Amino acid sequence: LRTTLLFLSPQDLYTAPDSCKGRCGEPYSEGDECHCHAECERHHNCCGDYHRHCRAEGFSRSHDAITDEDLLHVSEQLYRADHNKARPTDITINPQYQASPDETGDQQDRSPQPLYKYVNEELFSKPTYASFIRLLDNYQRATGREEEVTAEELREQDIFLKEVMKTELMKKLFAFLHQKNRYGSEQEFVADLKEMWFGLYSRGDGEQDSSGFEHVFSGEVKKGKVSGFHNWIRFYLLEKQGTVNYFSHNFDGPWDTYPDVLGLQFSWDGFYKEVGSAFIGCSPEFEFGLYTLCFIARPGRACHLSLGGYSLSIQTYPWTKSTYGNGKKYIATAYVSLP
């Protein structure tokens, strides 16, 4: 069985919300479209491919299935391994006004001061931060406009991946996914990271105008609204330039150190973001690693994690209109799912 699993086609290694691939034996969750646990037949709510994948010899019944318990355990490992995160003295934020649910969409600036009072910019000289920041100006934010990727930009992608893979956090993530038979080598993992995050696809008008990295970390503008843009470093740098205006927050996480989580409202050159959830003070590899983990393990579904003893969920979605390799999916979006 172990030998056979190494030759599974790539699409078998991604968990779809309407399939039992990689999900057999998962505990019941009300939010799931269909179910793959042992009781689903009795309750008549199994996924259509339950019998195909959940037989005793199926991939999903092996130890290679990623369980909810696995996710809680590995996310705590990654949390402890984020050695490049900000210290409490590195960042001072000023959240000011907390918006109620019926106020987040009214586009009222209720916070006269910037969100960031202080950031120790020495953080940005760390290799993963520096290589991450160099990627942020590689994109045209308007969807429908073709992205022109230069040789220098491709090198910047490779440098970022090389730097994050030097970290204990990403090595732990690879070790976990390797143990679960998702990747046979670190080289294979890095190659897939480059495709799923940086591969281009079309969000509008057939142009190769978007990628998972651009959407999640750099941000886009679509139909007059900010789309994506879930990164604290990007927000700080643009707020410092005066192109981002912080309006309010609707959620402040329970952490008393970094990374923290904030749900915030803001405008970017006049384009509005109603709720832009973001980690605050984490390293680039932490965010990149957690989103990757959840995209591989629970794409299109809530991915329940544990960080420093606190529960947190991440929502990812695959891009369904185009694929790479043998049917593998690009990342459409990934973000912290607020309560």
Side-chain angles (χ1 to χ4, degrees):
L1 179 62
R2 289 285 296 166
T3 303
T4 304
L5 291 173
L6 293 174
F7 295 97
L8 286 167
S9 61
Q11 60 264 41
D12 287 330
L13 304 183
Y14 287 78
T15 338
D18 58 352
S19 170
C20 282
K21 288 180 182 177
R23 292 180 54 202
C24 296
E26 274 187 6
Y28 173 80
S29 174
E30 187 178 339
D32 290 344
E33 292 182 25
C34 57
H35 305 276
C36 307
H37 55 82
E39 297 295 308
C40 72
E41 290 183 285
R42 185 161 64 87
H43 294 290
H44 306 291
N45 57 10
C46 297
C47 295
D49 59 2
Y50 172 78
H51 291 286
R52 179 154 60 95
H53 291 289
C54 298
R55 296 190 305 270
E57 70 274 16
F59 160 68
S60 300
R61 290 295 288 270
S62 75
H63 74 279
D64 298 297
I66 298 176
T67 67
D68 285 357
E69 290 73 23
D70 288 333
L71 289 172
L72 296 175
H73 179 69
V74 72
S75 56
E76 284 288 2
Q77 283 191 322
L78 300 183
Y79 179 78
R80 291 192 295 271
D82 189 13
H83 305 307
N84 286 327
K85 68 183 178 182
R87 297 163 301 178
T89 54
D90 286 330
I91 299 176
T92 304
I93 61 173
N94 183 20
Q96 301 166 80
Y97 188 82
Q98 182 162 359
S100 64
D102 59 351
E103 290 177 324
T104 58
D106 64 10
Q107 304 191 32
Q108 295 297 310
D109 183 359
R110 295 181 169 89
S111 300
Q113 301 300 319
L115 174 61
Y116 287 93
K117 293 181 70 174
Y118 170 74
V119 171
N120 177 11
E121 294 193 8
E122 288 183 11
L123 283 171
F124 301 158
S125 65
K126 293 175 180 281
T128 58
Y129 285 80
S131 57
F132 173 82
I133 290 169
R134 281 195 290 271
L135 293 168
L136 295 175
D137 64 356
N138 291 350
Y139 301 101
Q140 302 182 74
R141 69 182 179 186
T143 58
R145 295 176 62 186
E146 183 96 14
E147 293 289 348
E148 296 182 9
V149 184
T150 66
E152 178 61 27
E153 289 170 355
L154 289 172
R155 281 194 295 272
E156 289 174 354
Q157 294 171 12
D158 290 335
I159 291 169
F160 171 70
L161 292 171
K162 179 181 177 182
E163 292 299 340
V164 296
M165 287 308 301
K166 291 178 182 177
T167 66
E168 180 186 345
L169 188 151
M170 289 298 287
K171 288 187 181 300
K172 282 185 179 294
L173 176 60
F174 167 69
F176 173 75
L177 295 172
H178 178 63
Q179 178 191 15
K180 293 294 183 179
N181 244 333
R182 287 346 191 237
Y183 298 98
S185 67
E186 187 173 306
Q187 182 181 9
E188 181 188 351
F189 179 46
V190 172
D192 199 35
L193 286 173
K194 186 166 184 176
E195 288 292 341
M196 73 169 72
W197 278 107
F198 294 102
L200 293 175
Y201 50 81
S202 175
R203 286 188 190 264
D205 303 325
E207 305 287 347
Q208 298 292 93
D209 62 344
S210 187
S211 68
F213 187 93
E214 177 187 8
H215 181 85
V216 173
F217 295 107
S218 183
E220 298 180 296
V221 172
K222 184 176 183 179
K223 297 181 179 178
K225 294 182 179 180
V226 177
S227 182
F229 197 143
H230 298 286
N231 179 255
W232 77 270
I233 300 169
R234 175 70 160 164
F235 189 101
Y236 165 74
L237 292 172
L238 291 182
E239 186 179 60
K240 183 181 176 183
Q241 292 175 10
T243 57
V244 158
N245 180 22
Y246 171 71
F247 281 16
S248 57
H249 71 284
N250 63 300
F251 175 79
D252 191 351
W255 294 269
D256 56 8
T257 184
Y258 296 115
D260 198 357
V261 176
L262 204 65
L264 58 160
Q265 292 70 52
F266 62 92
S267 70
W268 180 15
D269 279 337
F271 300 104
Y272 188 62
K273 182 71 174 180
E274 184 170 337
V275 179
S277 62
F279 287 105
I280 307 292
C282 67
S283 69
E285 61 266 27
F286 177 82
E287 205 169 2
F288 190 71
L290 281 196
Y291 291 157
T292 298
L293 169 67
C294 286
F295 180 69
I296 291 170
R298 302 286 188 270
R301 301 157 59 215
C303 178
H304 303 299
L305 307 178
S306 179
L307 304 181
Y310 292 103
S311 297
L312 173 134
S313 295
I314 285 174
Q315 181 72 47
T316 67
Y317 287 103
W319 186 254
T320 59
K321 297 178 182 179
S322 55
T323 61
Y324 67 92
N326 293 319
K328 298 176 80 167
K329 302 291 197 302
Y330 299 105
I331 291 176
T333 192
Y335 54 90
V336 180
S337 179
L338 302 179

